Amino acid sequence: MAVMALDFRSANRFAIAYEAGWMMHIASGRAVLAERELNGNQSIEARERALQIRLQAGGKVEDISEMTPRYREVLEQTMLIAADLEMSTLGFNYPAILNAPTLDAKISIMSAVQDELGHAQVTYRLLEDFGYDTEELLFRRDPKFFRTFYLVQHPVNDYVTAVISMLIGDRAGYTTTLDIEESCSYGPYSRSLRKVNFEEKFHVAYGEKWTEYFWNKGPKTRKRIQDAVDFYFPLGATWFGLPDHMKTRPDQLQYKVRAQSNDALRQRWLAQVVPFCERVGIKIPAHFDREKGQYVLDYEMPILLNEETGKWDFRTVTWEEQFAQWKKGGPIKTETFRRLQDEVWGDDLW
Ligand SMILES: [Fe+2]
Ligand SMILES: [Fe+2]
């Protein structure tokens, strides 16, 4: 009986392996056909179909000639936003660099910002392959056309806030870029994020280390950590955008520019931030729901920040109200880039 069962399992395994192999064969066959269709003199729709099939079969894109206009548009927009987000770190961390309490702290924030500018540089460099000019994008683009998220549109005014910004904000950014590194169908972009993510991991670890230090140092620093988390946590939760059921353009997922949906990425972020805060003792408006088997927020999005008090109003508002706050942006939404463009650079700066 045991032998028969074993045989059955073996046969079953063989059947599964055979089927999987056959499916892969079909998929690769379809991919080859798709490739031919893509490279031939086909209509946009046919090229679009061929690319979709190829991507679904796990194919990668290595060159612009392999892209359809829509794929290219989605990819370019993704990289532009990513590069602008990295670039914004210089502006929002600037106050914390100026008033850092020790030379060590100052060098640490500057070093992290230097990493971020490197991340921006890598992505703007890739965009040059698509015809963009980095000099033009950075120094001659109207600051109102830079595209960033609400989280990075607030100044980081001191070292404790910088630490929490790394704990919450860098963790959010890292969650997104890790997904792109793991899954992006555009090979050059995916590979460029290996170094980026190595450094992001370090920023998050730095944030965790100093969060615990200040939390345990005394009641005053503990309060400052709690206040900064109170401010940053809801910003981190909205980093990943609209809930999945409200998304109108799932192109990034269709084209495998990234693999995980907004809600899945939010969940991945929560699964790291919530256990860390619970272990340290920091209060956060989220918990693990055993029945649902996932992390949930203790409030219902969307909520609004009172920019005058810096406190969140946890009453749920309409998405229109949320969009209005995002559209208006945080206090340094455009100032960050205006300053970048107006600053005296080069020899004169020193
Ligand atoms: Fe970065
Ligand atoms: Fe970072």
Side-chain angles (χ1 to χ4, degrees):
M1 192 63 195
V3 171
M4 278 184 70
L6 192 66
D7 279 346
F8 174 75
R9 280 204 300 272
S10 303
N12 205 24
R13 266 206 301 273
F14 175 75
I16 290 167
Y18 180 78
E19 194 170 69
W22 181 239
M23 290 307 287
M24 279 175 69
H25 179 73
I26 293 171
S28 69
R30 287 175 77 193
V32 169
L33 287 174
E35 180 93 44
R36 281 184 199 149
E37 200 175 354
L38 189 60
N39 291 332
N41 190 18
Q42 300 289 329
S43 67
I44 291 283
E45 293 76 29
R47 293 184 66 213
E48 187 63 48
R49 247 189 346 268
L51 179 62
Q52 294 276 351
I53 293 168
R54 178 175 162 193
L55 295 176
Q56 292 312 316
K60 294 278 179 190
V61 172
E62 292 291 334
D63 191 82
I64 293 174
S65 62
E66 303 166 65
M67 299 175 189
T68 59
R70 220 176 83 191
Y71 177 94
R72 180 172 170 162
E73 168 74 11
V74 171
L75 180 69
E76 283 180 18
Q77 291 309 314
T78 304
M79 292 198 293
L80 273 169
I81 294 171
D84 288 354
L85 282 167
E86 300 281 11
M87 201 64 214
S88 69
T89 54
L90 177 62
F92 72 70
N93 277 303
Y94 187 64
I97 293 172
L98 284 188
N99 66 25
T102 64
L103 191 56
D104 274 1
K106 192 186 284 278
I107 291 171
S108 297
I109 307 175
M110 285 170 69
S111 168
V113 169
Q114 195 174 350
D115 288 345
E116 307 295 10
L117 298 189
H119 305 167
Q121 198 271 337
V122 163
T123 311
Y124 286 127
R125 212 320 280 134
L126 278 173
L127 281 161
E128 289 186 351
D129 295 343
F130 293 78
Y132 290 88
D133 178 336
T134 304
E135 183 81 12
E136 179 81 33
L137 279 175
L138 279 180
F139 296 106
R140 287 192 283 282
R141 185 167 33 148
D142 188 323
K144 70 173 182 279
F145 294 128
F146 281 78
R147 289 168 64 190
T148 60
F149 299 158
Y150 196 49
L151 184 146
V152 302
Q153 297 165 2
H154 301 269
V156 170
N157 286 322
D158 56 71
Y159 183 61
V160 170
T161 312
V163 163
I164 295 305
S165 150
M166 288 194 205
L167 178 84
I168 307 246
D170 284 60
R171 172 73 83 188
Y174 178 45
T175 304
T176 311
T177 49
L178 195 58
D179 180 46
I180 296 175
E181 182 199 330
E182 288 167 352
S183 324
C184 185
S185 54
Y186 183 48
Y189 186 31
S190 158
R191 290 190 291 275
S192 79
L193 291 175
R194 271 184 218 154
K195 179 176 182 292
V196 168
N197 285 329
F198 177 79
E199 290 169 350
E200 287 304 342
K201 193 174 173 184
F202 182 76
H203 300 166
V204 174
Y206 185 88
E208 289 186 347
K209 176 188 157 92
W210 290 99
T211 296
E212 280 202 80
Y213 171 81
F214 286 120
W215 184 259
N216 294 316
K217 192 170 185 291
K220 271 191 185 167
T221 53
R222 179 171 292 198
K223 182 174 183 316
R224 285 181 64 186
I225 289 286
Q226 184 64 62
D227 289 348
V229 171
D230 289 348
F231 179 75
Y232 270 100
F233 182 85
L235 287 173
T238 54
W239 175 271
F240 306 98
L242 296 177
D244 289 353
H245 70 271
M246 289 188 63
K247 285 277 288 178
T248 51
R249 293 187 58 195
D251 281 348
Q252 277 185 328
L253 300 182
Q254 261 170 23
Y255 287 129
K256 300 206 172 202
V257 168
R258 62 187 174 104
Q260 293 189 288
S261 70
N262 292 2
D263 286 342
L265 287 174
R266 194 166 8 250
Q267 195 59 217
R268 196 173 180 180
W269 173 81
L270 283 168
Q272 289 156 3
V273 173
V274 175
F276 173 83
C277 289
E278 284 179 348
R279 180 176 66 72
V280 175
I282 303 168
K283 289 192 218 65
I284 37 160
H287 68 280
F288 185 76
D289 185 317
R290 286 186 195 285
E291 268 179 34
K292 290 184 179 160
Q294 61 181 22
Y295 288 90
V296 292
L297 299 173
D298 296 342
Y299 58 92
E300 196 176 330
M301 294 198 306
I303 57 170
L304 293 181
L305 175 71
N306 181 331
E307 284 188 358
E308 275 169 28
T309 62
K311 305 280 184 211
W312 290 90
D313 183 337
F314 285 94
R315 283 175 300 183
T316 306
V317 296
T318 63
W319 281 102
E320 283 66 34
E321 287 173 275
Q322 177 79 98
F323 295 147
Q325 182 158 74
W326 287 347
K327 191 170 178 215
K328 179 175 157 286
I332 57 166
K333 181 183 180 185
T334 51
E335 187 204 305
T336 293
F337 299 105
R338 191 158 286 124
R339 179 133 202 278
L340 177 79
Q341 295 177 347
D342 294 346
E343 194 68 79
V344 179
W345 295 99
D347 294 339
D348 295 340
L349 185 63
W350 307 103

